Amino acid sequence: MNNRLETFVKENRKDFDVFEPSAGLWAKIEQELDGKKEKKSIKLYLWMSAAASLVVIFGLVWLYAGRTQNQDIEIADVNAAAAQKEVHFTNLITEKRDSLAIFAAANPDLYKKFTADLKKLDEDYERLKSELPSTPNQLFVVKAMVKNRELQLNLLRQQLMIINQVDDYKKVNQI
């Protein structure tokens, strides 16, 4: 079979040589190839830029969602019992501060000293609260926050007791 094909090609070689491509054919093919390369690179560039934009957008959304989610952590999310204690202490602290503010006019120097101590404890509480979303041991931080509120309440009780003693002393010495 191979022999017959070779024989046929040798006998009809002149017939095949008649159909040679024109000289401008290769130039046309090169132009078309060049045009197609440019079009493909533009399309590829557009697709890559769109994909990069989507990656950036999804990344920003992910970062934003992660930050807002972490900052919404409350004490109750970590430990419900500790949250109840913290609310109870906070309510008592508010009452005691109101009582302390009543005595502020009578003893302004003493009130300034007392508020300085409370301000320090408040700053510590806020620092703990800001650390809560990012700390690996959230239960430990929550316990520290509740302990801070308990210390504030005890400090206010002592301050009110001191103010009452000062007022009693003033009343006794006034007579």
Side-chain angles (χ1 to χ4, degrees), residues 85-134:
K85 283 183 182 179
E86 196 266 342
V87 168
H88 178 70
F89 288 149
T90 302
N91 289 336
L92 291 174
I93 288 169
T94 304
E95 290 175 16
K96 300 293 182 189
R97 282 186 182 206
D98 292 343
S99 298
L100 188 64
I102 293 171
F103 295 111
N107 299 311
D109 293 333
L110 196 56
Y111 181 75
K112 285 181 186 178
K113 290 179 184 177
F114 288 164
T115 55
D117 293 336
L118 285 172
K119 184 178 179 184
K120 174 67 175 125
L121 284 172
D122 274 338
E123 289 171 359
D124 291 342
Y125 180 83
E126 291 301 321
R127 182 183 51 79
L128 288 168
K129 189 176 180 180
S130 67
E131 289 176 5
L132 182 62
S134 61

Side-chain angles (χ1 to χ4, degrees), residues 17 23 33 49 51-52 54 62 64 84 86 89 117-118 125 130 138 152 175:
D17 289 341
L33 289 175
S49 60
L54 286 174
W62 180 72
Y64 177 74
Q84 289 176 344
E86 196 266 342
F89 288 149
D117 293 336
L118 285 172
Y125 180 83
S130 67
Q138 292 178 337
Q152 287 182 29
I175 298 176

Side-chain angles (χ1 to χ4, degrees), residues 21-37:
S22 65
L25 181 63
W26 287 112
K28 287 181 186 178
I29 292 173
E30 286 178 358
Q31 284 179 345
E32 286 181 19
L33 289 175
D34 290 340
K36 287 182 181 178
K37 284 182 184 176

Side-chain angles (χ1 to χ4, degrees), residues 4-37:
R4 283 184 13 189
L5 180 62
E6 285 181 29
T7 309
F8 177 76
V9 169
K10 286 181 185 177
E11 289 176 1
N12 296 315
R13 176 89 178 162
K14 290 181 183 178
D15 292 336
F16 288 120
D17 289 341
V18 174
F19 297 109
E20 289 186 19
S22 65
L25 181 63
W26 287 112
K28 287 181 186 178
I29 292 173
E30 286 178 358
Q31 284 179 345
E32 286 181 19
L33 289 175
D34 290 340
K36 287 182 181 178
K37 284 182 184 176

